[in-house]
Structure formats: structure tokens, C-alpha cells
Amino acid sequence: MVGQGKRNKRSDLLQLFIGIAIVILLNVIGSFVFKRFDLTSEKRYSLSPATKDLLTNLDDIVYIKVYLEGEFPAAFKKLENSTREMLDEFRIYAKDNNLQYEFIDPSADPDRKKTMDLYKQLSEQGIRPTTIHVKEKSGSSQKIIFPGAMFTYKGRSMPLMLLKSQAGVRPEEMLNISEQALEYEISNTIRKLSTVNKMRVGFLQGHGELDEDQVKDISKALSEYYEVEEIRIDGKLNSLAGLRALVIAQPDSVFSEQDKFVIDQFIMKGGRVMWCIDNVHATMDSLQKGLTVGLPMSSNIDDQLFKYGVRVNTDLVQDLQAAAIPIVTGYVGNQPQQSLFPWYYFPLAVADSKHPIVNNLNAVKFEFANTIDTVGNKDVKKTILLHTSKYTKVLNAPVRISLSLVQHDPKPEQFSSSYKPLAVLLEGKFESVFKNRLPADMLNNKDIGFTANSGDNKMIVISDGDVIRNEVQKSTGNIFPLGVDRFTGQEYGNKNFILNCMNYLCDESGLISVRSRNVQLRMLDKTKIERNGQMWKAINVAGPILLIMGFGAFQYFGRKKKFTK
């Protein structure tokens, strides 16, 4: 028995030494080989290859001040913790410690004046405050927080709002959307700050397109990513040379065949185009007397778009899911009294797709939009990005448009069309609209360099030019932000939609694909908590203890039975 005991002791010691050796060996290997394991189903703690490449290529320090520190409700605390965890992940992949951060409580200073000065400074820098309700022993109180961050890189600074807003979404879901957008939003901000050689994006002019003031807000937003400029073709073959993408925003006059040819060859040779086209002319300015007519119009590009895979129809959509406009309903003295009424010609398109361009996007406001049909060309994949709601009415032009529409309740049975496409992404190999149409001398001319088919390419067609147009106050020239309704203050998703479209068209790194990541929201059932809360608390407290006691008892009696033999 003594010999058997010594052998058991030596065996136990040997197993101990082997275990220690294995642990040491794993640590030595780990110091040379970096590997992380993410066991969550949605891989919420794994960075995309595009983000890793961005971080490893940083050649200076990105410093981030996060103003999300303090005593918050549990949901906001979760956003704070998720932000900290995400930044820790970023810091691991940033070489040479090129990403640093700190969390700051903007309300921590007991000096009220200093606190208010900081509040003002943050607001001016673009970090908007949010008011939340905090429960206390004596009741509840309101607290101002700044759920944003300020990024600094090589002397340049840029704000980022960590808390996103989306109309019609519950606060819990909004916080979850904000969490799942963290990787993209942080990466995208670093990308904007660190990009040195920007791609060129041109806004086409010369065919009655929106002027400089009407696209000023989106041009400013795009300039954070690209070199933005106005372009005129005027029949010149090399007029689009060096551009990565071209924006054609609401042309109202005819394109010459020469200009069409230049655009076509730009696409055939890899250029990207975003078409914002109206095929029916209708504006609110023409409704000043309460009545106008929407007339069909053509810019001579219908055959070109048809060849690429879409047709923008000469019709107008009405949608019960629509933005409101102010209507004079009476007078008090000589002062007009206005009320807001839904204007069915202004559909609000809410994306239900998980495509990175529109995933978790706020409603996009259209004005006098046309429907789009996808046609032909099997080599081109067509993806519907935005569409009308289930309750849609389609009116073929010419259309009589009257403000009296708001005086009558809509008849749902007349809104029987559903989900009409308003924005379509085309991806694939496009065929030139001029194929088999050019004489031999042009086909063989090396200066022209005609290309009949493109390689893999993509473009986006939107059946409304107003979706990219910001309002301009005629009396003062003030520019209103794109997507912000000056009557209601509602902020629609127009600007983010256009930015996402352009980033998808131009970005070869794949960073935009991170927007499609979906982190599942696992929320507690409040009804069950209220009904069975005490029972679940008892299970959570006593359950683990009883489980450990049961396992210990099983081990004790098992060993006792084994050794009594």
C-alpha cells in the first residue's frame, strides 16, 4: 500500500509539472503568435478585415476623447462599455500603439461655469447633447449627456455621435443599433481623418442639373471623403478623365449624343455613376396657386438607362407613408394660421433591406418621385435599395396636382400598389448603349478607344433629383441641411443615404460592408419580469449555490464508494 501511495504521489506530481509546462509553453507561443477567439453567434467582438487593414496602416496616433462617462441608466452604461470594448479591440490591431483614448465626464467639474463652457464647446464641435431621465431615491431627475467622441489625427479633429437617431424606433432598439454601428462609425471616422490622396467625384453640369447652392450641403459632406468638383462635358472625350464617380443630379434638358457617349465610355472603363433622375416635372413652387400639372419630360437618357438595366417611368407615386407640408387653414386678424398635413406626393421610404447602403437607415424623403422598373441584361444584378410602402398609388403623367388633396381623407382601396422601387443598385458587366451603332472609322480610332463592354462595375439609379437637393432660402441665401425638414425639424436619412451610396460605389476596401452587421437585441420580457420577478431572482441567487452543492455531494459519495471497496 505504501508503494502504491508513492507511485500515486509521483504520478500526481508529474501531471502537475506537465500542466505547468503546458501553460508556460502556451504563454511563450502566445507571445509570438496573436490569435483571438470570438464565440458569439454574430461575431460582435471580431473586427472586419477592412478595419484591421485601416488600423495597421496608421502612421501616427489617433487620439479619441469619448464623452460617455458618468452615472447613466443601464442601457447607456451598456453603450459606454461596448464603446470601451470596441476601442480596446481597435487598439490591439493599431500598430505602434497608434490608437489611444480616454473617457471623460463633461459634467464632472463642480464649477458650473466651466461645465457650461464645455457643454457649449462640445455643441459647437458637433457633439449634440441628449437629455435622459435618471431614477434616484428621492424620485427622478434629468441629466444632460453628450454621447459622442472627438477624434484627433495629425492636427485634424472630427466629431462622431455614438448615439444614433432613427424615427419610429424604440429607445432600446436605438441603443442596440448604435452599438452594432460602432465598428463602422469609428472606422469610418478614422478613414476620413487619415485619407491623404482623395478620389475625385464630379457633379455634372450643362444639362440643367441642380446648381452649386442646391447641392452645397451634400458636397460639403462628400468633401470629407473625396475631392468634389463641378464637371462639364461639352462633347470633350477626356472631360471625365481622373474621376472615380460622377453624380448626375436632376437634369432638366436634353443630353447630346456626344455627352451620352462620354458618360457611356466613362462607365465602360470603370467609372461609377449615381443617377438622380426626374422623368416628370413637378415642383412645389408651381403650386403657389394651389394647382399645377406634372408633365412628362425626357433628357434623352432613357435608352441608356434601359441598356444598363432599369427604366425610370413617366409617372408619380402617392404614398400614405408621407412627409407633411404646412397649409394655411385660416387667419387670425391678418396673420395666416398654418397646420401640417401629410402630402402624399412626398413618400418616406423606409429601408427593410440589410444591404450596407440602407441598413438601419432613417426614412428617406422623396418629392414627386417616379417608379423604377428593372429590365433586361442578365449580367447585371439589380438590388432594390428603397421603395414605397404597402399603400401606394401610381399616377401616369400628365398628372393634375392640387393642394385640395389634403382636404379629403384618403381611400385606402385606391392605394393598392405596393413597394414600388425608388432607388436601385446595379452591379455587374454593362454593355455600351453605342454598341453596334458606331461607324467603322470611330470604332477603329485609337484616340476614341471605344469599349463595348465594361468589367465588373456598379451604378445607382434614384428616381428623384430632390433626394439630393438641400433647400435654399431665397431671401437670404441660407443653406438648409440636406434631409432636415425646415417646417417640422424632422431629420430624414437623405444625407446618410447619399453618403452611403457614394462610399459603396467608390470604396474598394469593403469598409462599408460593416454597416450590414446585425447584433441581435436580446431584451427581457417586462411582463414576465413583473409577474414572476421574485421567482427568477430566487433561481438566479440560489440556483448556482445548489448546483455546486449537488456536484460536491456527488463527488464526495462517489469517492467514498470507490475507496471503501
Side-chain angles (χ1 to χ4, degrees):
M1 290 294 293
V2 175
Q4 179 68 30
K6 287 183 177 180
R7 284 195 296 270
N8 288 339
K9 185 176 180 180
R10 285 197 298 269
S11 176
D12 291 341
L13 288 172
L14 181 62
Q15 290 180 15
L16 176 62
F17 289 138
I18 292 174
I20 294 173
I22 291 173
V23 171
I24 293 173
L25 181 62
L26 289 175
N27 277 275
V28 171
I29 295 173
S31 64
F32 295 99
V33 179
F34 175 72
K35 184 66 178 176
R36 296 172 70 82
F37 297 94
D38 185 355
L39 302 181
T40 58
S41 60
E42 61 268 35
K43 300 299 178 185
R44 69 169 66 196
Y45 301 113
S46 297
L47 300 183
S48 68
T51 297
K52 294 176 184 177
D53 288 342
L54 176 70
L55 294 170
T56 54
N57 290 324
L58 289 175
D59 58 1
D60 204 346
I61 295 175
V62 176
Y63 191 77
I64 307 171
K65 292 182 179 180
V66 184
Y67 297 94
L68 198 59
E69 176 88 352
E71 296 298 324
F72 303 139
F76 281 90
K77 202 68 181 176
K78 186 170 180 288
L79 178 61
E80 176 194 341
N81 293 334
S82 297
T83 304
R84 195 184 301 272
E85 290 169 358
M86 184 62 67
L87 290 175
D88 283 338
E89 287 291 314
F90 274 58
R91 188 163 55 182
I92 288 168
Y93 289 97
K95 67 176 184 179
D96 300 328
N97 200 26
N98 274 339
L99 189 137
Q100 301 175 17
Y101 69 86
E102 66 172 321
F103 277 69
I104 299 171
D105 182 358
S107 305
D109 198 315
D111 189 326
R112 185 65 177 169
K113 184 179 183 304
K114 290 183 179 179
T115 299
M116 297 307 295
D117 288 343
L118 180 56
Y119 285 0
K120 182 180 178 181
Q121 178 186 343
L122 293 176
S123 297
E124 291 173 349
Q125 290 175 339
I127 302 179
R128 300 185 299 274
T130 297
T131 303
I132 59 174
H133 293 274
V134 180
K135 291 184 178 180
E136 299 175 342
K137 293 181 179 180
S138 58
S140 64
S141 63
Q142 289 187 336
K143 182 175 182 178
I144 296 176
I145 66 171
F146 288 80
M150 183 60 66
F151 289 64
T152 303
Y153 178 78
K154 292 186 176 180
R156 296 178 59 208
S157 296
M158 189 170 291
L160 170 65
M161 288 300 298
L162 299 171
L163 179 64
K164 302 302 172 186
S165 61
Q166 190 170 334
V169 176
R170 292 182 300 163
E172 297 91 341
E173 293 178 354
M174 199 65 258
L175 283 162
N176 185 71
I177 289 172
S178 300
E179 282 186 54
Q180 68 186 36
L182 281 174
E183 181 185 348
Y184 174 74
E185 295 296 342
I186 296 172
S187 298
N188 194 40
T189 304
I190 295 174
R191 173 196 165 197
K192 287 189 285 186
L193 280 172
S194 60
T195 299
V196 178
N197 298 317
K198 296 181 179 180
M199 298 178 185
R200 292 172 59 212
V201 170
F203 277 81
L204 189 63
Q205 293 294 309
H207 314 88
E209 291 89 353
L210 298 177
D211 62 34
E212 180 183 3
D213 285 342
Q214 292 172 315
V215 295
K216 180 163 285 188
D217 191 57
I218 190 61
S219 296
K220 180 181 178 182
L222 286 170
S223 65
E224 295 180 354
Y225 302 87
Y226 312 100
E227 293 290 344
V228 180
E229 57 193 275
E230 290 187 348
I231 296 290
R232 300 181 72 92
I233 298 177
D234 295 332
K236 298 176 183 177
L237 288 174
N238 62 349
S239 55
L240 303 182
L243 285 185
R244 185 64 183 126
L246 181 68
V247 181
I248 303 176
Q250 204 176 48
D252 65 7
S253 59
V254 173
F255 282 70
S256 67
E257 291 298 310
Q258 293 90 337
D259 285 3
K260 287 173 59 178
F261 179 82
V262 174
I263 296 171
D264 175 83
Q265 289 302 289
F266 174 70
I267 294 168
M268 294 305 113
K269 294 171 182 177
R272 310 291 164 82
V273 178
M274 180 161 60
W275 309 79
C276 302
I277 306 298
D278 284 339
N279 264 358
V280 175
H281 178 71
T283 65
M284 290 302 293
D285 289 342
S286 61
L287 267 172
Q288 290 180 354
K289 295 183 178 180
L291 179 67
T292 190
V293 177
L295 297 173
M297 55 182 281
S298 176
S299 299
N300 190 33
I301 55 176
D302 293 341
D303 60 334
Q304 194 165 1
L305 292 176
F306 190 91
K307 191 73 171 180
Y308 300 150
V310 297
R311 175 175 54 227
V312 180
N313 298 308
T314 52
D315 55 25
L316 291 179
V317 296
Q318 290 184 359
D319 195 333
L320 293 186
Q321 184 174 276
I325 60 171
I327 300 293
V328 176
T329 55
Y331 289 84
V332 176
N334 61 353
Q335 297 297 317
Q337 300 298 301
Q338 294 182 331
S339 298
L340 293 173
F341 293 89
W343 183 237
Y344 306 126
Y345 288 104
F346 285 7
L348 297 178
V350 179
D352 53 14
S353 168
K354 294 301 180 184
H355 193 279
I357 292 178
V358 293
N359 187 38
N360 293 327
L361 187 71
N362 208 350
V364 177
K365 180 184 176 183
F366 286 74
E367 299 183 10
F368 299 112
N370 319 130
T371 62
I372 299 178
D373 293 331
T374 56
V375 294
N377 203 339
K378 296 180 180 179
D379 292 329
V380 174
K381 176 185 176 183
K382 294 99 175 176
T383 303
I384 308 300
L385 298 176
L386 294 173
H387 54 69
T388 61
S389 76
K390 182 179 180 181
Y391 302 102
T392 303
K393 183 178 182 180
V394 179
L395 305 170
N396 292 319
V399 180
R400 183 179 182 273
I401 304 170
S402 173
L403 287 178
S404 63
L405 178 69
V406 303
Q407 298 174 359
H408 310 285
D409 292 333
K411 297 179 180 180
E413 63 273 11
Q414 294 181 354
F415 291 77
S416 55
S417 298
S418 301
Y419 310 119
K420 294 296 182 181
L422 301 178
V424 179
L425 167 68
L426 305 176
E427 297 176 284
K429 301 180 186 299
F430 298 101
E431 186 177 83
S432 171
V433 70
F434 291 92
K435 186 177 181 180
N436 302 322
R437 288 174 54 184
L438 297 179
D441 58 336
M442 290 187 67
L443 286 174
N444 299 324
N445 191 321
K446 293 182 179 180
D447 293 332
I448 294 176
F450 176 73
T451 304
N453 297 90
S454 76
D456 287 329
N457 203 350
K458 45 194 173 184
M459 66 175 68
I460 293 173
V461 181
I462 305 169
S463 60
D464 177 27
D466 294 304
V467 79
I468 199 173
R469 177 181 63 85
N470 56 250
E471 293 193 53
V472 182
Q473 191 171 29
K474 293 181 179 179
S475 59
T476 63
N478 288 340
I479 305 296
F480 291 94
L482 176 62
V484 175
D485 191 317
R486 60 174 174 164
F487 301 111
T488 64
Q490 173 69 48
E491 183 174 355
Y492 298 109
N494 294 51
K495 184 186 293 186
N496 285 335
F497 173 60
I498 299 299
L499 287 174
N500 291 345
C501 285
M502 190 56 65
N503 287 340
Y504 187 82
L505 291 177
C506 296
D507 181 23
E508 303 296 344
S509 70
L511 186 60
I512 185 70
S513 63
V514 180
R515 290 196 76 256
S516 60
R517 170 175 289 184
N518 184 41
V519 179
Q520 185 177 354
L521 181 63
R522 296 176 174 88
M523 299 180 63
L524 298 176
D525 189 321
K526 293 183 178 180
T527 303
K528 288 185 177 180
I529 291 174
E530 292 176 0
R531 187 188 309 139
N532 304 314
Q534 295 300 322
M535 179 189 72
W536 288 111
K537 288 178 182 178
I539 291 174
N540 282 324
V541 172
I545 298 173
L546 293 175
L547 187 63
I548 293 172
M549 291 175 63
F551 180 75
F554 176 79
Q555 284 286 90
Y556 172 76
F557 288 110
R559 290 176 66 84
K560 183 177 180 181
K561 182 178 179 181
K562 177 181 178 180
F563 289 107
T564 51
K565 293 179 180 179

